[in-house]
Amino acid sequence: MRRKFSLRLLAATALTFTSVGAYAADDVKVGLMLPYSGTFAELGQNITNGFKLAIDQKGGKIAGRTIEYVELDDESAPAKANENANKLIRRDNVDVLVGTVHSGVALTMARVAKNTGALMIIPNAGANELTGALCSPNIFRASFSNWQAGYAVGALMAQKHKTAVSLAWNYAAGDEQTAGFKEAFEAGGGKVLKHLSLPFPNTEFQPLLTEIATLQPDAVYAFVAGAAQVKLTKDYEASGLKDKIPLYGAFLTEGTLEAQGSSAQGMLTALHYADGLDNPKNQAFIEAYKKAHGETPDVFAVQGYDSAQLFIAGLEAVNGDTSKKEDMIRAMENAKLDSPRGPLSFSKSHNPVMNMYIREARGDQNVMVGIAVEALADPSPDCKR
Amino acid sequence: MDILLGSLLIQALNAIQYGLLLFLIASGLTLIFGVMGVINIAHGSFYMMGAYFAFTITGLTGNFFVAVLLGAILSVIIGALLEWALFKHLYKRDHLEQVLLSYGLILIFEELRSIFVGDEVHSIDVPAWLNFSIPLGDIMSYPFYRLFMSGVCVLVAIGMYILINRTRIGSMIRAGATNSGMAEVLGVNISMVNRLVFSLGVGLAAFAGMINAPASAVAPGMGMEVLIVSFVVVVIGGIGSVWGALFAAMVIAFADTFGSVFFPSVAGMLTYIIMAMVLLWRPEGIFKR
């Protein structure tokens, strides 16, 4: 009895290994290294949903090859990024590394990708460096660069105002977005009177608001994220500044409109996507996403979707033969994607070239009211290759 | 009024308000350390817990003040339970084990929050009758709720002063903080005092979280943010000293407020520079016992 059992076990084990072996040869492996726990868990999930939606719309197969996913929670922990990225590339042999939200983690991933030559698609992280100093033929970004986000707001504000004060967290993303803002605002004839900064992730804005009231600029540019967005717009309204000195930002009303309540209503922001953007691709995308997940997609879902679209473009160009990496990369470089955010192509540094929309916060939506900059490309001056 | 002078006055008001809030949080931390010798790095989680109680109960009852009352009671009970189940076993252990246990608590609290309320950012509306601003100068108005918060913090501080300095329980707490062994010999029920102080500390942190929630956001990770600065306050003020906590909270709040306006590039470091200087001058804090 015992002997029979062990034989069966042995046979089963053998079979398992054969089937695993067979899969490895036939499937294309996508390594999703994203935050599935912690503060960014929701973003990671929405990116994953968007990515899988694009693959599912192709029947789960690209150029005849089934897509298999290896999902890994990066915990937004830069200290674990090196090991995690290496695990996916060397142990799981993924054909593409997709990640992540946190810039610190993404920078480490990009270094690993650069060293190993593994194909990498960044579905969110905005650090300029990713397509700047770290740029590499095998690294693509399907989201945005911090410079782009700030630049678009600067261009928007220059259309309406002469002087401004900027306010941002004193860390990489804050510095990069503020630099983009300043460049566009001053190129458009505006003048930045003062830059106010506070340590990340402090949310004690009251002193800075008092300073804004003292300086009396025509408008204010702000970059903070998450809970701080809510606190800033609420404090801004409570200080009586909202109706006197308009407040602008890129992500300032993104994903937090409900919590912001009246304090964000009517606020203008500039970003590469707007809720319910009126183009056929987006309408179809929203409908499909709602059907699959029961909720309206956000900008992160769009970025996940486009990451998959970019990969599909490469895979189809080589007819599913992932060994032809150079041809894949060339096809991805030249891809003209029909994105829910509008036409999407890629710059020499593999950063998105896209329209930056002016959005107005109405109810729980960031509604498109115009275009801040058409087909904005990050010049990526640090990308030398 | 001269615009510069006016803005300086408002900045002072901002600093006092921030300082009072810091004081509430740090006084609980310093009391727990002073009386029990426990380093509790989960203190920020109690602050977060308070904010989430306020958010959840306000959502259920529609009344912020009912939420604060119920939240305070719940927090004190949870504090007593935690002391009974976990912390009382740590008094005789070394600080590393205390840090480890309370770090575990941080993770558990974050996970519980994630399970019960989710990872989104929430906010609570300021109660309607407090939701107005006092015009100051031509352009700025000062949100009345912030003045209200300051007032409430002052009342709590006075209450604490009376409790510690004018009541029998207070004298036991003071005795426990000075020499718990001697106090026990003299008939003070130290384990009761410990439980009381711990619950009080948890209650103070949670109360700060609740009262600050309408002026702030209710969000994941909010505990960490206050934890670090409240530790700095305790270190500067002198471990175990409530007056030290008040003084240090005001120093940090004024430095932070004026630093972020006049020296924005070093504002982030200013807190730590002050801490380093105080430690060089008085290694045990300004109000060491």
Side-chain angles (χ1 to χ4, degrees):
Chain A
M1 186 69 196
R2 201 191 162 89
R3 194 191 155 104
K4 205 167 157 192
F5 176 75
S6 352
L7 267 176
R8 269 197 211 155
L9 191 70
L10 205 68
T13 319
L15 275 174
T16 319
F17 275 107
T18 11
S19 57
V20 167
Y23 269 123
D26 287 336
D27 289 0
V28 172
K29 273 192 178 179
V30 173
L32 297 172
M33 183 167 154
L34 289 161
Y36 293 115
S37 66
T39 313
F40 295 137
E42 205 184 331
L43 279 62
Q45 196 53 54
N46 292 351
I47 289 168
T48 306
N49 291 345
F51 194 97
K52 289 184 176 172
L53 179 65
I55 304 288
D56 290 345
Q57 284 178 339
K58 293 265 177 182
K61 277 187 178 181
I62 313 299
R65 295 187 67 186
T66 306
I67 303 295
E68 187 197 340
Y69 302 100
V70 185
E71 292 176 31
L72 194 156
D73 181 4
D74 70 28
E75 301 168 51
S76 300
K80 297 179 185 166
N82 190 44
E83 194 194 331
N84 284 338
N86 272 304
K87 224 189 264 177
L88 285 172
I89 292 169
R90 294 180 208 271
R91 188 193 67 188
D92 299 322
N93 277 313
V94 298
D95 295 291
V96 61
L97 181 64
V98 179
T100 189
V101 171
H102 188 288
S103 277
V105 179
L107 287 166
T108 303
M109 290 172 75
R111 282 190 194 100
V112 175
K114 197 169 179 164
N115 291 338
T116 56
L119 187 62
M120 174 179 177
I121 301 176
I122 302 153
N124 185 69
N128 289 348
E129 213 179 333
L130 288 166
T131 54
L134 265 176
C135 76
S136 176
N138 52 316
I139 298 174
F140 288 83
R141 170 149 55 194
S143 48
F144 63 92
S145 71
N146 283 329
W147 178 90
Q148 272 176 312
Y151 189 92
V153 186
L156 160 65
M157 286 171 69
Q159 292 170 13
K160 298 166 182 278
H161 307 287
K162 285 278 152 245
T163 60
V165 162
S166 55
L167 185 168
W169 269 333
N170 196 358
Y171 76 139
D175 296 344
E176 290 176 354
Q177 295 210 6
T178 307
F181 152 74
K182 189 175 170 157
E183 186 180 332
F185 187 66
E186 297 199 333
K191 171 137 186 53
V192 179
L193 299 178
K194 187 169 181 182
H195 176 62
L196 301 169
S197 69
L198 71 167
F200 171 79
N202 280 14
T203 52
E204 189 50 34
F205 297 115
Q206 208 60 34
L208 304 182
L209 301 186
T210 306
E211 182 68 2
I212 288 167
T214 312
L215 293 166
Q216 304 207 5
D218 295 340
V220 172
Y221 163 83
F223 168 78
V224 287
Q229 296 174 184
V230 180
K231 180 145 199 244
L232 176 62
T233 60
K234 285 191 136 194
D235 285 358
Y236 202 80
E237 186 185 39
S239 305
L241 292 170
K242 186 179 181 234
D243 301 323
K244 293 171 189 138
I245 304 172
L247 178 65
Y248 294 82
F251 288 89
L252 208 50
T253 56
E254 199 63 37
T256 44
L257 267 174
E258 203 182 325
Q260 281 165 322
S262 66
S263 71
Q265 290 303 306
M267 193 174 288
L268 294 181
T269 51
L271 209 61
H272 51 283
Y273 185 65
D275 291 324
L277 199 61
D278 195 15
N279 66 56
K281 179 74 181 185
N282 191 39
Q283 298 309 328
F285 169 72
I286 292 173
E287 205 165 296
Y289 193 93
K290 268 187 178 163
K291 212 172 144 196
H293 301 289
E295 57 180 27
T296 315
D298 57 8
V299 64
F300 305 105
V302 172
Q303 290 169 179
Y305 187 80
D306 288 338
S307 301
Q309 288 212 92
L310 178 61
F311 184 55
I312 291 169
L315 210 51
E316 282 180 340
V318 294
N319 227 333
D321 184 357
T322 39
S323 63
K324 293 180 179 159
K325 201 179 232 163
E326 276 179 31
D327 295 344
M328 255 181 102
I329 287 172
R330 200 166 313 122
M332 287 165 73
E333 251 170 11
N334 298 323
K336 302 262 178 290
L337 300 179
D338 185 10
S339 160
R341 67 182 101 165
L344 174 65
S345 57
F346 295 85
S347 69
K348 241 190 101 215
S349 63
H350 294 176
N351 199 57
V353 179
M354 57 196 171
N355 294 336
M356 301 300 287
Y357 301 101
I358 304 171
R359 306 116 37 93
E360 186 181 330
R362 288 185 204 149
D364 59 354
Q365 298 239 298
N366 288 299
V367 182
M368 177 194 156
V369 292
I371 294 183
V373 192
E374 213 161 313
L376 179 63
D378 188 331
S380 311
D382 300 328
C383 176
K384 314 246 188 306
R385 67 172 167 83
Chain B
M1 193 179 356
D2 177 33
I3 193 150
L4 185 67
L5 186 67
S7 96
L8 286 180
L9 280 176
I10 302 175
Q11 295 292 21
L13 218 54
N14 290 333
I16 290 170
Q17 186 266 319
Y18 180 45
L20 284 168
L21 188 79
L22 269 183
F23 166 67
L24 274 200
I25 303 165
S27 59
L29 192 64
T30 203
L31 263 181
I32 290 173
F33 191 95
V35 176
M36 288 165 269
V38 168
I39 293 188
N40 169 31
I41 63 169
H43 200 67
S45 302
F46 301 147
Y47 170 83
M48 177 183 81
M49 175 179 77
Y52 273 88
F53 275 156
F55 167 71
T56 313
I57 304 173
T58 306
L60 292 174
T61 63
N63 188 319
F64 176 66
F65 292 97
V66 171
V68 171
L69 194 69
L70 275 177
I73 296 170
L74 273 173
S75 307
V76 169
I77 294 173
I78 288 172
L81 285 173
L82 284 174
E83 198 275 344
W84 170 74
L86 300 171
F87 282 90
K88 75 167 181 211
H89 305 293
L90 291 173
Y91 300 148
K92 300 278 180 280
R93 307 233 178 183
D94 67 272
H95 291 328
L96 185 63
E97 287 175 69
Q98 298 166 353
V99 167
L100 268 178
L101 179 106
S102 47
Y103 181 66
L105 267 187
I106 294 180
L107 300 180
I108 291 169
F109 269 73
E110 286 288 340
E111 203 54 40
L112 287 175
R113 173 203 42 74
S114 181
I115 292 167
F116 288 114
V117 201
D119 294 323
E120 294 94 8
V121 174
H122 299 287
S123 71
I124 304 174
D125 288 331
V126 174
W129 60 280
L130 292 173
N131 196 7
F132 62 92
S133 296
I134 300 166
L136 289 170
D138 333 325
I139 194 156
M140 182 84 183
S141 358
Y142 201 75
F144 180 74
Y145 186 77
R146 284 181 177 262
L147 294 178
F148 171 80
M149 266 169 78
S150 304
V152 170
C153 291
V154 168
L155 285 180
V156 172
I158 293 172
M160 261 177 59
Y161 176 81
I162 294 173
L163 178 77
I164 293 176
N165 293 295
R166 296 271 182 276
T167 65
R168 204 178 136 67
I169 292 173
S171 59
M172 288 193 232
I173 292 174
R174 278 179 290 140
T178 317
N179 188 334
S180 65
M182 183 63 82
E184 194 152 25
V185 171
L186 293 174
V188 174
N189 183 348
I190 281 295
S191 63
M192 191 272 285
V193 169
N194 282 342
R195 191 154 308 155
L196 190 83
V197 169
F198 194 86
S199 316
L200 185 68
V202 173
L204 282 171
F207 185 77
M210 290 189 281
I211 201 84
N212 194 33
S216 170
V218 180
M222 62 188 288
M224 271 328 246
E225 205 185 304
V226 298
L227 177 72
I228 297 165
V229 53
S230 52
F231 259 107
V232 172
V233 164
V234 168
V235 168
I236 292 178
I239 283 163
S241 164
V242 173
W243 291 119
L246 178 61
F247 179 79
M250 285 299 163
V251 168
I252 292 302
F254 269 83
D256 203 68
T257 301
F258 286 90
S260 61
V261 175
F262 295 113
F263 323 100
S265 52
V266 294
M269 287 180 286
L270 209 53
T271 308
Y272 303 100
I273 293 173
I274 293 173
M275 180 172 77
M277 282 177 5
V278 167
L279 288 181
L280 283 174
W281 170 50
R282 285 181 84 105
E284 289 177 61
I286 296 175
F287 284 68
K288 71 163 184 186
R289 282 198 323 267

